[in-house]
Amino acid sequence: MNAKKRVVIFISGRGSNMEKLIEAAKHPKYSSEIIGVISNKADAKGIEFAKKQGIKTAIIASRQKDKKAVDLTIDKQLLEWDTDLICLAGYMRILGEDFCEKWEGKIINIHPSLLPQFKGLDTHQRAINAQNSEHGCTVHFVTAKMDDGPNIGQIAVPIKLSDTAQTLSERVLIAEHNLYPWALEQVASEQVTFEKK
Ligand code: GRF
């Protein structure tokens, strides 16, 4: 059997997707182990959960102006932990081009929309405003262009007439929690590999 892929999750807040990945990785046949969590926010709620699970954590603050220096600090930590794959899960910071190129094919992200629709923020309200009948989530490979790398998987959910951004985000989040563990397995087991667009 191939060795499990060593995965580090990046978060900035709640970390509910991170929790689902950690849970999924407990299955003996899952192709990944979650070996670390990095947050750019010291008070990210998800950090406490990761610590309780005995997972290594690192806070790498991103407020300093030199973005390249922050990326290099992150890269150093990843090498120290012997990282194979990175999962961005609500990591509210844009990684630089050099970093994205170095980790190309090894870094994935979950985004709350059916990409290429609604890149960026506030996706639920924008989907409602557009009077779309469905919305959803996407896991994709990360490239230097934001929310633009090749898709690994998507789940669509209906938009109801009564939806607010809040109710819609709750429905999409349930889909995210199903999608992300599946998508990571596709990449870690090498059933899906990165190909430039
Ligand atoms: C999710 O909606 C994810 O798609 C987006 O940020 C949110 C993070 O939620 N990128 P959580 O921290 O995983 O609970």
Side-chain angles (χ1 to χ4, degrees):
M1 199 192 100
N2 290 336
K4 286 184 185 252
K5 294 286 189 317
R6 295 171 60 79
V7 175
V8 173
I9 304 173
F10 289 16
I11 63 167
S12 296
R14 181 175 59 183
S16 69
N17 280 289
M18 175 207 74
E19 284 188 27
K20 296 296 170 187
L21 293 175
I22 291 172
E23 272 171 31
K26 287 180 181 166
H27 193 285
K29 287 197 174 152
Y30 204 64
S31 306
S32 301
E33 56 177 327
I34 311 302
I35 53 120
V37 173
I38 291 177
S39 172
N40 59 332
K41 304 273 179 213
D43 59 356
K45 201 171 149 248
I47 285 291
E48 285 318 305
F49 182 88
K51 277 187 181 161
K52 279 192 194 136
Q53 298 282 316
I55 294 170
K56 288 180 198 147
T57 60
I59 309 294
I60 301 178
S62 55
R63 253 195 264 136
Q64 71 187 77
K65 282 214 182 95
D66 188 349
K67 288 190 174 167
K68 267 200 174 162
V70 177
D71 285 354
L72 286 173
T73 308
I74 295 172
D75 186 63
K76 204 170 150 230
Q77 181 66 79
L78 293 170
L79 296 182
E80 207 173 283
W81 284 345
D82 198 13
T83 306
D84 295 313
L85 294 172
I86 302 164
C87 289
L88 306 185
Y91 183 65
M92 301 303 285
R93 170 175 179 267
I94 294 174
L95 292 155
E97 201 173 326
D98 290 350
F99 184 94
C100 291
E101 277 169 13
K102 180 174 176 189
W103 289 92
E104 194 174 76
K106 297 177 178 170
I107 173 165
I108 67 178
N109 178 45
I110 187 151
H111 182 74
S113 82
L114 296 171
L115 288 172
Q117 287 186 86
F118 309 123
K119 296 177 181 183
L121 297 174
D122 210 13
T123 60
H124 309 297
Q125 191 58 55
R126 285 159 64 206
I128 291 171
N129 293 350
Q131 299 187 331
N132 286 2
S133 58
E134 60 176 22
H135 188 40
C137 52
T138 304
V139 175
H140 63 96
F141 285 105
V142 171
T143 57
K145 244 175 142 187
M146 190 186 70
D147 300 332
D148 192 70
N151 288 351
I152 298 159
Q154 294 187 311
I155 296 181
V157 303
I159 301 181
K160 297 181 183 171
L161 283 175
S162 58
D163 266 331
T164 60
Q166 178 62 30
T167 58
L168 182 55
S169 73
E170 286 163 10
R171 193 173 312 118
V172 171
L173 192 64
I174 294 169
E176 291 185 38
H177 292 166
N178 286 316
L179 179 63
Y180 214 172
W182 173 85
L184 173 58
E185 180 62 15
Q186 300 308 299
V187 176
S189 63
E190 293 170 16
Q191 292 178 74
V192 173
T193 50
F194 177 83
E195 275 175 39
K196 266 197 178 15
K197 271 190 184 176

